[in-house]
Amino acid sequence: MTGWMIRHFVPNASDTKNSEVRSSYGTLASVTGVIVNCLLVAAKAAMGILSGSLAITADAVNNLSDAGGGILSLLVVRMAAKPGDKEHPFGHGRMEYIGALALGFLILMVGLELLKSGISGIRHPRELSVSPLIITLLSLSILAKLWLFFFYRKIGKTIDNETLTAEGQDSVSDAVGTAAVLVSTVLQWLYGWHIDGFMSVVVSLFVLQTGLKVCKSTIDRLIGGKPDPKMVEEITRRMLSYPTIRGIHDLVINDYGPGRCIVTVHAEVDAHGDILAIHEVIDKAEREIEQAMHIMICIHMDPVVTDDPETNRLHAVFSAFLKTIDPKLTLHDFRRVPGKKQTNLLFDVLLPDDFQMPSATLNEKIVAYAHTLDPGYNMVIRYDNDFL
């Protein structure tokens, strides 16, 4: 059914980097979610009134917040599709992350209200009026929420939309919560067990867990979490496909929203090559990677000496030494500058994110090792952090 809806309501559905296509996907998902949740609110509100069930009424309120979340998603998708302007030259793509964060807070607020009403239900239990119709409607509600989960997940992954992914996570927690309500309703119907309030608390805990998960995931994106490993791998593969580029380092990805990434990277090239020819290759790489991946990329050329045996030997020697300290330590931009009284060795050391040793201590170890090789070595070392 999801595939049919995409084919009929999303023109040019395969071009998911296009802002208009993304907006069409988001509109389809949001409108569908609002319609389904409004139907569930009406059905559950009626069931709650007829049965007197606090848990069913709480579930109806939860679905009402979901409908509000759908409207929020629709607004956010529209705002995120706006192109860059004078005040926001990189576009408005991060509105999707802000919308997901707002949705996360909305889920938390609903969860707290459900917890409050559940505790009240435990302290003051009520008799329920249950019928096969109510049981059937609750079962259909669970199926509807599970369908919404798969629906949101497919579209959210297709256009890399954090808000829709959050909606999907909320839908599956709603399905679990409604299942808990169904169990409590059936048990009171069959055995007279008054666990309605307890199940309302269970529903609230699922909702709160989902809200916390959505907020954490979105905050990570907003404050600058690690980039997608698949994107890093693809950028690396594409750059190394050009024979002129010997290696890459200092890859940094700035995320301004889905489809709005700005990438900077250093490319190692032959120090003795034709600089104009090399620059032409770098320009070509930038153009082709931008077109293929829909990102902005700036490549900095780093000349490296590849035909000096002594430089190559020292590069290998210091690389091996770093591995004895930590297998993840690597170096790049290695240069050797001989002088009358000393030889300068200049290079950068890339520190892994879990490296505990202070840079000053590591520097002392490298300098001490260099002086065992030759007291005339003067070390000029820069330490980089691995942002990937």
Side-chain angles (χ1 to χ4, degrees), residues 15 33 76 90 384:
D15 188 11
V76 166
F90 300 113
D384 298 334

Side-chain angles (χ1 to χ4, degrees), residues 351-363:
L351 304 175
D353 58 358
D354 58 351
F355 189 69
Q356 300 297 321
M357 183 184 299
S359 298
T361 304
L362 177 59
N363 192 78

Side-chain angles (χ1 to χ4, degrees), residues 297-326:
I297 183 169
C298 178
I299 303 175
H300 170 77
M301 293 188 299
D302 268 348
V304 294
V305 176
T306 60
D307 58 354
D308 179 46
E310 182 61 13
T311 299
N312 292 339
R313 184 187 72 82
L314 289 173
H315 185 287
V317 166
F318 281 96
S319 293
F321 174 71
L322 289 175
K323 297 297 183 185
T324 65
I325 299 175
D326 189 316

Side-chain angles (χ1 to χ4, degrees), residues 69-119:
I71 296 174
L72 175 64
S73 298
L74 182 60
L75 293 175
V76 166
V77 167
R78 295 287 185 179
M79 294 175 69
K82 292 175 59 179
D85 53 33
K86 185 177 180 180
E87 289 77 21
H88 309 93
F90 300 113
H92 299 76
R94 282 182 176 169
M95 284 302 303
E96 292 188 9
Y97 303 154
I98 296 173
L101 184 60
L103 179 60
F105 283 124
L106 179 62
I107 295 171
L108 288 175
M109 290 174 59
V110 171
L112 291 173
E113 285 298 318
L114 296 182
L115 180 61
K116 180 181 177 181
S117 63
I119 294 174

Side-chain angles (χ1 to χ4, degrees), residues 164-186:
L164 294 180
T165 301
E167 291 273 20
Q169 294 173 348
D170 186 36
S171 294
V172 75
S173 76
D174 289 346
V176 174
T178 304
V181 173
L182 176 61
V183 170
S184 71
T185 304
V186 171

Side-chain angles (χ1 to χ4, degrees), residues 89-212:
F90 300 113
H92 299 76
R94 282 182 176 169
M95 284 302 303
E96 292 188 9
Y97 303 154
I98 296 173
L101 184 60
L103 179 60
F105 283 124
L106 179 62
I107 295 171
L108 288 175
M109 290 174 59
V110 171
L112 291 173
E113 285 298 318
L114 296 182
L115 180 61
K116 180 181 177 181
S117 63
I119 294 174
S120 175
I122 293 173
R123 296 175 60 187
H124 308 288
R126 303 165 60 182
E127 290 291 336
L128 302 184
S129 176
V130 187
S131 67
L133 177 60
I134 291 176
I135 301 299
T136 301
L137 290 176
L138 284 175
S139 301
L140 292 175
S141 172
I142 294 171
L143 294 176
K145 276 296 183 178
L146 288 175
W147 179 80
L148 268 183
F149 162 67
F150 290 110
F151 175 73
Y152 281 135
R153 187 178 69 169
K154 179 176 178 59
I155 294 184
K157 285 186 175 181
T158 299
I159 62 173
D160 188 25
N161 184 291
E162 287 284 332
T163 306
L164 294 180
T165 301
E167 291 273 20
Q169 294 173 348
D170 186 36
S171 294
V172 75
S173 76
D174 289 346
V176 174
T178 304
V181 173
L182 176 61
V183 170
S184 71
T185 304
V186 171
L187 290 176
Q188 183 156 339
W189 184 34
L190 295 178
Y191 304 107
W193 295 355
H194 295 279
I195 60 173
D196 186 53
F198 291 98
M199 286 303 180
S200 182
V201 170
V202 171
V203 172
S204 72
L205 293 178
F206 275 109
V207 173
L208 288 171
Q209 181 186 34
T210 299
L212 290 172

